[in-house]
């Protein structure tokens, strides 16, 4: 029987690549990249991006193969954005990463995490992997800091689109970066709740230009969450709720201009009400103009204390 190879890499294959890279196992990395079918010179293929990444990974002395920040994104996310690896950089991840299973390596990636769906674009995966590696060294963080310093004045930055604060040193690094650029408006989502509380206990003063959205799917319980909601940097909760599959397949969840968006958001608010939330807002999908004044709810002081909900679509 003839075997047909396609120039793709499965999610388990990408997980293996990430594990090898984060373990700094160059021989295994080289072996895994060599096994990817395709021509390394064929632009925009998995083999092409993997080969570029491997060339840089060998000594990490040259320019990064992928931009560290996504500059001004797209219509859905019209801001500067930073991502690292989902799961690997998410110490507080629970059901979103493991589903209803035990938190074991075998169940890694079996939850509803949105970020893994983005891995169908190989450049996105390798950019996340690159950034995760940069964050783990002083030299790498220096590169990130330089790029952050070069973001034009007055812009909005999202930390993180994918991934999360992997440890206390990385959380402190980012908060210090925000303090150094008070002209920027920075916001994000996190399940690394205990890291924020630990930094707070150390007497750290969080930057005034950073807003935290407490993301659902964390492994931590309500006691930890309630403490986190009391921090000055916290805007409020951002929760994923179950909705009819038709709203996901029809892309009604992606933009308020899409067919079915109004009905989809009505279902989201219904689920939020059932969960006992009193102040809530249904995310319409596209950032940048989801509320009046061309603001985005997750980064707005005006929505402090409001629970923002979105339909599960991982």
């Amino acid at each position: 029987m003839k075997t047909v190879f396609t120039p793709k890499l499965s999610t388990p294959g990408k997980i293996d690549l990430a594990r090898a890279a984060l373990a700094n196992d160059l021989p295994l990395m080289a072996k895994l990249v060599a096994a990817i079918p395709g021509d390394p010179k064929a632009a925009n293929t998995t083999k092409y991006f993997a080969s570029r990444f491997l060339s840089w990974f060998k000594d990490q002395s040259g320019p990064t193969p992928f931009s560290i920040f996504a500059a001004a994104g797209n219509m859905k996310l019209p801001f500067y954005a930073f991502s690292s690896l989902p799961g690997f950089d998410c110490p507080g991840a629970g059901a979103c990463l493991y589903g209803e299973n035990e938190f074991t390596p075998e169940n890694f990636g079996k939850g509803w995490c949105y970020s893994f769906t983005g891995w169908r674009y190989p450049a996105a995966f390798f950019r996340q992997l690159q950034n995760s590696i940069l964050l783990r060294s002083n030299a790498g963080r220096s590169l990130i800091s330089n790029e952050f310093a070069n973001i034009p004045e007055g812009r909005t930055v999202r930390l993180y689109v994918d991934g999360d604060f992997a440890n206390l040193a990385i959380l402190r690094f980012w908060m210090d970066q925000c303090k150094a650029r008070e002209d920027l408006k920075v916001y994000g989502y996190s399940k690394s709740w205990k890291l924020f509380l630990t930094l707070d206990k150390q007497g750290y003063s969080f930057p005034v230009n950073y807003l935290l959205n407490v993301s659902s799917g964390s492994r931590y319980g309500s006691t930890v969450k309630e403490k986190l909601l009391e921090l000055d940097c916290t805007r409020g909760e951002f929760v994923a709720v179950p909705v009819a599959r038709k709203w996901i397949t029809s892309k009604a969840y992606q933009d308020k201009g899409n067919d079915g968006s109004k009905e989809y958001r009505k279902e989201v608010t219904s689920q939020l009400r059932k969960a006992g939330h009193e102040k809530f807002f249904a995310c319409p999908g596209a950032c940048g103009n989801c509320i009046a004044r061309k603001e985005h709810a997750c980064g707005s002081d005006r929505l402090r204390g409001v629970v923002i909900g979105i339909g599960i679509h991982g």
Side-chain angles (χ1 to χ4, degrees):
M1 181 175 68
K2 183 178 179 180
T3 301
V4 178
F5 292 98
T6 58
K8 297 181 180 180
L9 189 63
S10 65
T11 294
K14 291 184 176 76
I15 289 174
D16 288 342
L17 269 173
R19 284 175 172 156
L22 296 178
N24 199 32
D25 191 335
L26 180 58
L28 179 56
M29 274 291 299
K31 181 179 179 181
L32 292 172
V33 171
I36 299 172
D39 181 354
K41 296 181 179 179
N44 300 321
T45 63
T46 299
K47 186 76 169 187
Y48 171 79
F49 289 120
S51 299
R52 287 182 62 196
F53 175 83
L54 181 62
S55 296
W56 169 79
F57 181 79
K58 289 176 180 178
D59 59 22
Q60 300 174 36
S61 61
T64 57
F66 305 94
S67 60
I68 293 173
F69 289 88
N74 49 44
M75 289 182 66
K76 185 177 180 182
L77 184 64
F79 311 129
Y80 279 76
F82 181 88
S83 290
S84 67
L85 285 172
F88 293 95
D89 285 359
C90 303
C96 59
L97 183 59
Y98 299 96
E100 300 304 318
N101 307 294
E102 293 183 36
F103 302 156
T104 63
E106 294 77 18
N107 293 323
F108 185 96
K110 292 184 178 180
W112 44 262
C113 177
Y114 314 135
S115 296
F116 288 107
T117 60
W119 282 8
R120 64 184 181 275
Y121 303 107
F125 166 76
F126 285 106
R127 176 184 285 111
Q128 294 168 13
L129 179 55
Q130 166 198 277
N131 287 348
S132 288
I133 290 170
L134 291 175
L135 283 168
R136 283 160 168 76
S137 71
N138 290 331
R141 289 194 292 272
S142 180
L143 284 176
I144 294 172
S145 181
N146 289 339
E147 290 298 311
F148 191 76
N150 288 330
I151 294 175
E153 186 175 354
R155 300 300 178 89
T156 296
V157 181
R158 176 172 166 179
L159 300 174
Y160 291 64
V161 176
D162 306 287
D164 206 337
F165 303 102
N167 56 48
L168 194 61
I170 289 173
L171 174 59
R172 180 183 284 270
F173 163 77
W174 278 120
M175 296 300 100
D176 287 346
Q177 296 304 306
C178 293
K179 288 183 178 182
R181 289 294 310 272
E182 289 190 354
D183 60 293
L184 301 178
K185 295 181 179 180
V186 189
Y187 79 103
Y189 313 81
S190 181
K191 299 177 181 67
S192 300
W193 301 353
K194 285 194 173 180
L195 296 182
F196 279 88
L197 294 178
T198 298
L199 196 57
D200 179 63
K201 286 183 180 179
Q202 293 178 354
Y204 188 87
S205 178
F206 288 97
V208 297
N209 58 331
Y210 175 78
L211 277 180
L212 167 67
N213 288 263
V214 178
S215 183
S216 65
S218 172
R219 65 175 60 196
Y220 306 120
S222 59
T223 300
V224 176
K225 182 179 69 175
E226 291 306 315
K227 291 180 180 179
L228 191 63
L229 289 171
E230 295 176 358
L231 296 183
D232 291 340
C233 65
T234 301
R235 184 209 60 77
E237 292 185 69
F238 185 91
V239 303
V241 297
V243 295
R245 189 64 188 168
K246 63 180 179 180
W247 304 130
I248 307 306
T249 57
S250 68
K251 302 187 186 304
Y253 74 97
Q254 290 187 350
D255 190 274
K256 59 187 177 183
N258 290 359
D259 291 342
S261 175
K262 185 176 180 179
E263 293 79 6
Y264 154 73
R265 284 179 280 141
K266 185 177 180 180
E267 185 170 341
V268 170
T269 57
S270 176
Q271 293 284 14
L272 293 172
R273 189 178 293 108
K274 287 179 181 178
H277 301 297
E278 296 180 359
K279 297 180 179 179
F280 45 78
F281 174 78
C283 172
C287 299
N289 65 347
C290 60
I291 56 177
R293 306 178 192 173
K294 294 186 177 180
E295 291 181 304
H296 59 292
C298 296
S300 175
D301 265 315
R302 296 197 294 124
L303 270 78
R304 278 188 182 268
V306 175
V307 176
I308 299 176
I310 192 170
I312 294 175
H313 56 274

